[in-house]
Amino acid sequence: MQNRPASSRPGLWQRLPVIGRLLIAFWAVLLAAGAGATAFLLHQQKPIVVATVSPQSKPHLPAQPTSPANSSIVSTPAQKETTVTAAGAQTAAAPVPAKPADVTLPTAATTISAKAAPPSPAGSSAAVTQQTLPPIVSSAASSSPPASAPLPTDKTAIAIVLQGFGYSDALTYDVLSRIPAPVAVGISPYVSNIRDIIARAHASHREVYVTLPMQSAHPERADEGPHALGYGNSAADDQRELEWCLTRAAGAEGLTDASENGDDQPGGGYATSPDFSPIASAISSRGLLYLTGSAQDGRRTRGMTATAWIDGDADAATLDSRLAALLPQDGKPAKILLMVGPITPVMIDRLANWLKGPAAQNFVVVPPSAFADSGVSNDQAANLSPSNPIAPL
């Protein structure tokens, strides 16, 4: 049997071209490197992803020692960081550095000096506006006029009511700042800010008398406004208008039938008619005083009666002469209830000078309520001195 010679056919690797051998070697090396890297990462066991989300907060301010000189402005430390870790990953705790012995960490309440506090934003401040009128004192002691002192026996007692108060801020300020507190004021119920005006008068220790609008003896010459009482109204109409006026006069000491234009009730005015009796009784039942413009009004309710009028819309010389003529010529003490209106700059100036001038040694200014009587016999009008001048408007 003949022996076959050994095969001399080359193998697969030898039959591959050179480029094929290189490609196989490249991929083999690449796969080996990938496997090695995977093994290395698994061996190290590192967390995959650690994401840290920190809420926006104010920076920590260094603590300063607390002392009485420092203002107690308290700062709140920033919130702790919130760590979000991907699922399946391990979170490595961050090492906490050791605290030096001489460093004080901020606590929950840190006292900071006032100088370190940032200025407040301009928007948080209230707008500053120029005040025309003085501020209202909210003290309970000044919320109403003080109790009347006993009338003097050796000097003339003068009560003054300035009619037409509250129409002008400038004139209101002048009255409150220049005219002494016992001088009372009369206010129309039609004044828009009547509650504020009454509060300011009371804050300066003044009595307030609100005008009760009523038909005058000459209604064709005077318009008393849409809430007037009097002729042409039914009893229900008068009651409704009275309630409106009483609401407007909340807090006042009383009502009056006089206005800044003077006393228009004598000679047939509604306040002098029998129809006015129910209204007077209703006013008295509310505890209010009633101030009549003159003794001719025939007041029959608790209150006072004016004894003199001065026109405030006059020149300085006329005002000076009428003020000087108020005091009794015989020098005997008397009771004078003066009503002045309207309020003008000249009137304020002359009245202020007269109240602090030489004539002031002969009289004492008292609130109008010091002259209050029951009205049954009209005691005040009966006790008027015949020497007291009557100067109607």
Side-chain angles (χ1 to χ4, degrees), residues 265-307:
Q265 293 305 310
Y270 187 64
T272 64
S273 69
D275 296 336
F276 185 69
S277 296
I279 297 175
S281 299
I283 295 172
S284 180
S285 66
R286 300 292 185 95
L288 297 172
L289 298 173
Y290 189 73
L291 173 58
T292 59
S294 73
Q296 301 177 27
D297 291 0
R299 176 173 56 87
R300 291 295 181 267
T301 186
R302 182 171 177 268
M304 301 78 64
T305 299
T307 62

Short mmCIF file of all heavy atoms in Angstrom, two decimals, residues 265-307:
data_model
loop_
_atom_site.label_atom_id
_atom_site.label_comp_id
_atom_site.label_asym_id
_atom_site.label_seq_id
_atom_site.Cartn_x
_atom_site.Cartn_y
_atom_site.Cartn_z
N GLN A 265 -83.88 131.69 62.71
CA GLN A 265 -85.13 131.17 63.24
C GLN A 265 -86.06 132.23 63.85
O GLN A 265 -87.27 132.03 63.86
CB GLN A 265 -84.84 130.09 64.28
CG GLN A 265 -84.21 128.83 63.70
CD GLN A 265 -85.03 128.22 62.58
OE1 GLN A 265 -86.24 128.00 62.72
NE2 GLN A 265 -84.39 127.96 61.44
N PRO A 266 -85.59 133.32 64.44
CA PRO A 266 -86.53 134.29 65.02
C PRO A 266 -87.51 134.83 63.97
O PRO A 266 -87.19 134.94 62.78
CB PRO A 266 -85.62 135.41 65.54
CG PRO A 266 -84.30 134.76 65.74
CD PRO A 266 -84.20 133.73 64.65
N GLY A 267 -88.70 135.18 64.43
CA GLY A 267 -89.68 135.80 63.54
C GLY A 267 -90.36 134.83 62.61
O GLY A 267 -90.66 135.17 61.46
N GLY A 268 -90.65 133.59 63.06
CA GLY A 268 -91.39 132.67 62.23
C GLY A 268 -90.60 131.48 61.75
O GLY A 268 -91.09 130.71 60.91
N GLY A 269 -89.38 131.28 62.26
CA GLY A 269 -88.60 130.11 61.88
C GLY A 269 -89.22 128.84 62.43
O GLY A 269 -90.00 128.85 63.38
N TYR A 270 -88.85 127.72 61.81
CA TYR A 270 -89.47 126.45 62.19
C TYR A 270 -89.18 126.07 63.64
O TYR A 270 -90.01 125.47 64.31
CB TYR A 270 -88.98 125.34 61.25
CG TYR A 270 -89.69 124.03 61.43
CD1 TYR A 270 -91.05 123.91 61.18
CD2 TYR A 270 -89.00 122.90 61.86
CE1 TYR A 270 -91.71 122.70 61.34
CE2 TYR A 270 -89.65 121.69 62.02
CZ TYR A 270 -91.00 121.60 61.76
OH TYR A 270 -91.66 120.39 61.93
N ALA A 271 -88.00 126.43 64.15
CA ALA A 271 -87.65 126.08 65.52
C ALA A 271 -88.51 126.82 66.54
O ALA A 271 -88.58 126.40 67.70
CB ALA A 271 -86.18 126.38 65.78
N THR A 272 -89.17 127.89 66.14
CA THR A 272 -90.02 128.65 67.06
C THR A 272 -91.48 128.22 66.98
O THR A 272 -92.32 128.75 67.71
CB THR A 272 -89.93 130.15 66.74
OG1 THR A 272 -90.44 130.39 65.43
CG2 THR A 272 -88.48 130.63 66.80
N SER A 273 -91.79 127.26 66.10
CA SER A 273 -93.18 126.83 65.92
C SER A 273 -93.50 125.64 66.81
O SER A 273 -92.60 124.91 67.24
CB SER A 273 -93.43 126.46 64.46
OG SER A 273 -92.71 125.28 64.13
N PRO A 274 -94.79 125.41 67.12
CA PRO A 274 -95.17 124.24 67.93
C PRO A 274 -94.79 122.92 67.27
O PRO A 274 -94.62 121.91 67.97
CB PRO A 274 -96.69 124.39 68.07
CG PRO A 274 -96.97 125.84 67.83
CD PRO A 274 -95.94 126.28 66.83
N ASP A 275 -94.68 122.90 65.94
CA ASP A 275 -94.34 121.65 65.25
C ASP A 275 -92.94 121.15 65.61
O ASP A 275 -92.61 119.99 65.36
CB ASP A 275 -94.43 121.86 63.74
CG ASP A 275 -95.85 122.17 63.29
OD1 ASP A 275 -96.79 121.79 64.02
OD2 ASP A 275 -96.01 122.79 62.22
N PHE A 276 -92.11 122.04 66.16
CA PHE A 276 -90.75 121.67 66.47
C PHE A 276 -90.64 120.93 67.81
O PHE A 276 -89.61 120.32 68.10
CB PHE A 276 -89.84 122.91 66.49
CG PHE A 276 -88.39 122.61 66.69
CD1 PHE A 276 -87.66 121.97 65.71
CD2 PHE A 276 -87.74 122.96 67.88
CE1 PHE A 276 -86.32 121.68 65.89
CE2 PHE A 276 -86.41 122.68 68.07
CZ PHE A 276 -85.68 122.04 67.07
N SER A 277 -91.68 120.95 68.62
CA SER A 277 -91.61 120.34 69.96
C SER A 277 -91.24 118.86 69.91
O SER A 277 -90.39 118.41 70.70
CB SER A 277 -92.95 120.54 70.68
OG SER A 277 -93.18 121.92 70.89
N PRO A 278 -91.87 118.03 69.04
CA PRO A 278 -91.45 116.61 69.00
C PRO A 278 -89.98 116.43 68.63
O PRO A 278 -89.32 115.52 69.14
CB PRO A 278 -92.37 116.01 67.94
CG PRO A 278 -93.53 116.93 67.84
CD PRO A 278 -92.98 118.29 68.11
N ILE A 279 -89.48 117.30 67.77
CA ILE A 279 -88.07 117.19 67.38
C ILE A 279 -87.17 117.55 68.56
O ILE A 279 -86.18 116.88 68.83
CB ILE A 279 -87.78 118.11 66.17
CG1 ILE A 279 -88.60 117.64 64.97
CG2 ILE A 279 -86.30 118.13 65.85
CD1 ILE A 279 -88.49 118.52 63.76
N ALA A 280 -87.53 118.62 69.29
CA ALA A 280 -86.74 119.01 70.46
C ALA A 280 -86.74 117.90 71.51
O ALA A 280 -85.71 117.63 72.14
CB ALA A 280 -87.29 120.30 71.04
N SER A 281 -87.88 117.26 71.69
CA SER A 281 -87.96 116.16 72.66
C SER A 281 -87.08 114.99 72.23
O SER A 281 -86.42 114.35 73.07
CB SER A 281 -89.40 115.70 72.82
OG SER A 281 -90.22 116.76 73.30
N ALA A 282 -87.07 114.68 70.94
CA ALA A 282 -86.24 113.58 70.44
C ALA A 282 -84.76 113.88 70.64
O ALA A 282 -83.97 112.99 71.00
CB ALA A 282 -86.54 113.32 68.97
N ILE A 283 -84.36 115.14 70.43
CA ILE A 283 -82.96 115.53 70.62
C ILE A 283 -82.58 115.39 72.09
O ILE A 283 -81.52 114.86 72.44
CB ILE A 283 -82.74 116.96 70.12
CG1 ILE A 283 -82.94 117.03 68.61
CG2 ILE A 283 -81.34 117.45 70.50
CD1 ILE A 283 -82.92 118.43 68.05
N SER A 284 -83.47 115.85 72.98
CA SER A 284 -83.19 115.77 74.40
C SER A 284 -83.12 114.32 74.88
O SER A 284 -82.30 113.98 75.74
CB SER A 284 -84.25 116.54 75.18
OG SER A 284 -84.00 116.49 76.57
N SER A 285 -83.97 113.46 74.33
CA SER A 285 -83.97 112.05 74.75
C SER A 285 -82.69 111.34 74.36
O SER A 285 -82.34 110.31 74.95
CB SER A 285 -85.18 111.33 74.14
OG SER A 285 -85.06 111.25 72.73
N ARG A 286 -81.96 111.85 73.36
CA ARG A 286 -80.68 111.27 72.97
C ARG A 286 -79.54 111.76 73.86
O ARG A 286 -78.39 111.37 73.64
CB ARG A 286 -80.37 111.62 71.51
CG ARG A 286 -81.39 111.14 70.51
CD ARG A 286 -81.41 109.64 70.39
NE ARG A 286 -82.31 109.18 69.35
CZ ARG A 286 -81.94 108.89 68.11
NH1 ARG A 286 -80.68 109.02 67.74
NH2 ARG A 286 -82.83 108.47 67.24
N GLY A 287 -79.83 112.63 74.81
CA GLY A 287 -78.78 113.15 75.68
C GLY A 287 -77.98 114.27 75.05
O GLY A 287 -76.89 114.61 75.54
N LEU A 288 -78.47 114.87 73.97
CA LEU A 288 -77.77 115.95 73.29
C LEU A 288 -78.24 117.30 73.78
O LEU A 288 -79.41 117.48 74.13
CB LEU A 288 -77.99 115.85 71.78
CG LEU A 288 -77.46 114.59 71.09
CD1 LEU A 288 -77.92 114.55 69.64
CD2 LEU A 288 -75.93 114.55 71.16
N LEU A 289 -77.32 118.25 73.80
CA LEU A 289 -77.67 119.63 74.13
C LEU A 289 -78.23 120.31 72.89
O LEU A 289 -77.89 119.93 71.75
CB LEU A 289 -76.45 120.38 74.64
CG LEU A 289 -75.80 119.84 75.93
CD1 LEU A 289 -74.50 120.58 76.22
CD2 LEU A 289 -76.77 119.97 77.09
N TYR A 290 -79.05 121.33 73.12
CA TYR A 290 -79.58 122.09 71.99
C TYR A 290 -79.21 123.56 72.18
O TYR A 290 -79.55 124.18 73.19
CB TYR A 290 -81.09 121.94 71.88
CG TYR A 290 -81.65 122.53 70.61
CD1 TYR A 290 -81.44 121.88 69.40
CD2 TYR A 290 -82.34 123.73 70.61
CE1 TYR A 290 -81.93 122.42 68.23
CE2 TYR A 290 -82.82 124.28 69.44
CZ TYR A 290 -82.61 123.62 68.25
OH TYR A 290 -83.09 124.16 67.08
N LEU A 291 -78.48 124.09 71.20
CA LEU A 291 -78.00 125.47 71.24
C LEU A 291 -78.83 126.31 70.29
O LEU A 291 -78.78 126.13 69.08
CB LEU A 291 -76.52 125.51 70.85
CG LEU A 291 -75.87 126.88 70.68
CD1 LEU A 291 -75.99 127.70 71.96
CD2 LEU A 291 -74.42 126.73 70.27
N THR A 292 -79.62 127.24 70.84
CA THR A 292 -80.43 128.13 70.01
C THR A 292 -79.68 129.39 69.68
O THR A 292 -78.80 129.83 70.44
CB THR A 292 -81.74 128.48 70.73
OG1 THR A 292 -81.42 129.14 71.98
CG2 THR A 292 -82.56 127.24 71.03
N GLY A 293 -80.06 129.98 68.54
CA GLY A 293 -79.33 131.15 68.07
C GLY A 293 -79.62 132.43 68.83
O GLY A 293 -78.79 133.33 68.84
N SER A 294 -80.76 132.52 69.49
CA SER A 294 -81.09 133.71 70.27
C SER A 294 -82.21 133.37 71.25
O SER A 294 -82.86 132.32 71.13
CB SER A 294 -81.53 134.86 69.36
OG SER A 294 -82.82 134.60 68.83
N ALA A 295 -82.44 134.28 72.21
CA ALA A 295 -83.49 134.06 73.20
C ALA A 295 -84.88 134.08 72.57
O ALA A 295 -85.84 133.55 73.14
CB ALA A 295 -83.40 135.12 74.29
N GLN A 296 -85.02 134.65 71.38
CA GLN A 296 -86.31 134.71 70.71
C GLN A 296 -86.76 133.35 70.18
O GLN A 296 -87.91 133.19 69.77
CB GLN A 296 -86.25 135.71 69.55
CG GLN A 296 -85.88 137.12 69.98
CD GLN A 296 -85.77 138.06 68.80
OE1 GLN A 296 -86.41 137.85 67.76
NE2 GLN A 296 -84.96 139.10 68.93
N ASP A 297 -85.86 132.37 70.18
CA ASP A 297 -86.22 131.05 69.67
C ASP A 297 -87.15 130.31 70.61
O ASP A 297 -87.76 129.31 70.21
CB ASP A 297 -84.96 130.21 69.43
CG ASP A 297 -84.11 130.74 68.28
OD1 ASP A 297 -84.52 131.75 67.69
OD2 ASP A 297 -83.06 130.16 67.99
N GLY A 298 -87.25 130.75 71.88
CA GLY A 298 -88.15 130.09 72.81
C GLY A 298 -87.75 128.66 73.13
O GLY A 298 -88.59 127.76 73.08
N ARG A 299 -86.48 128.43 73.44
CA ARG A 299 -86.01 127.08 73.72
C ARG A 299 -86.73 126.49 74.93
O ARG A 299 -86.83 127.12 75.98
CB ARG A 299 -84.49 127.10 73.97
CG ARG A 299 -83.90 125.76 74.37
CD ARG A 299 -82.39 125.82 74.44
NE ARG A 299 -81.93 126.86 75.35
CZ ARG A 299 -81.76 126.71 76.66
NH1 ARG A 299 -82.03 125.55 77.23
NH2 ARG A 299 -81.31 127.70 77.39
N ARG A 300 -87.19 125.24 74.79
CA ARG A 300 -87.85 124.54 75.88
C ARG A 300 -87.24 123.15 76.09
O ARG A 300 -87.93 122.23 76.50
CB ARG A 300 -89.35 124.39 75.59
CG ARG A 300 -90.11 125.72 75.62
CD ARG A 300 -90.09 126.32 77.03
NE ARG A 300 -90.82 127.58 77.08
CZ ARG A 300 -90.26 128.78 76.92
NH1 ARG A 300 -88.96 128.85 76.70
NH2 ARG A 300 -90.99 129.87 76.98
N THR A 301 -85.97 123.03 75.78
CA THR A 301 -85.28 121.77 75.96
C THR A 301 -83.91 122.04 76.56
O THR A 301 -83.45 123.20 76.57
CB THR A 301 -85.13 121.04 74.61
OG1 THR A 301 -84.56 119.75 74.84
CG2 THR A 301 -84.23 121.82 73.66
N ARG A 302 -83.27 121.02 77.05
CA ARG A 302 -81.99 121.18 77.72
C ARG A 302 -80.95 121.70 76.75
O ARG A 302 -80.77 121.15 75.66
CB ARG A 302 -81.54 119.84 78.31
CG ARG A 302 -80.23 119.90 79.08
CD ARG A 302 -79.97 118.59 79.80
NE ARG A 302 -78.68 118.62 80.48
CZ ARG A 302 -77.53 118.19 79.96
NH1 ARG A 302 -77.54 117.68 78.72
NH2 ARG A 302 -76.40 118.26 80.64
N GLY A 303 -80.25 122.75 77.14
CA GLY A 303 -79.24 123.31 76.26
C GLY A 303 -78.83 124.70 76.66
O GLY A 303 -78.88 125.07 77.85
N MET A 304 -78.44 125.51 75.67
CA MET A 304 -77.94 126.85 75.90
C MET A 304 -78.57 127.81 74.90
O MET A 304 -79.09 127.39 73.87
CB MET A 304 -76.41 126.90 75.75
CG MET A 304 -75.65 125.98 76.69
SD MET A 304 -75.66 124.25 76.15
CE MET A 304 -74.76 124.35 74.62
N THR A 305 -78.47 129.10 75.20
CA THR A 305 -78.98 130.14 74.31
C THR A 305 -77.88 131.14 74.02
O THR A 305 -77.21 131.63 74.94
CB THR A 305 -80.17 130.88 74.96
OG1 THR A 305 -81.21 129.94 75.21
CG2 THR A 305 -80.69 131.98 74.05
N ALA A 306 -77.66 131.43 72.73
CA ALA A 306 -76.66 132.42 72.35
C ALA A 306 -77.09 133.81 72.80
O ALA A 306 -78.27 134.16 72.71
CB ALA A 306 -76.43 132.39 70.84
N THR A 307 -76.15 134.59 73.28
CA THR A 307 -76.45 135.94 73.74
C THR A 307 -75.85 137.01 72.84
O THR A 307 -76.20 138.18 72.97
CB THR A 307 -75.92 136.14 75.16
OG1 THR A 307 -74.49 136.00 75.17
CG2 THR A 307 -76.53 135.12 76.11
#
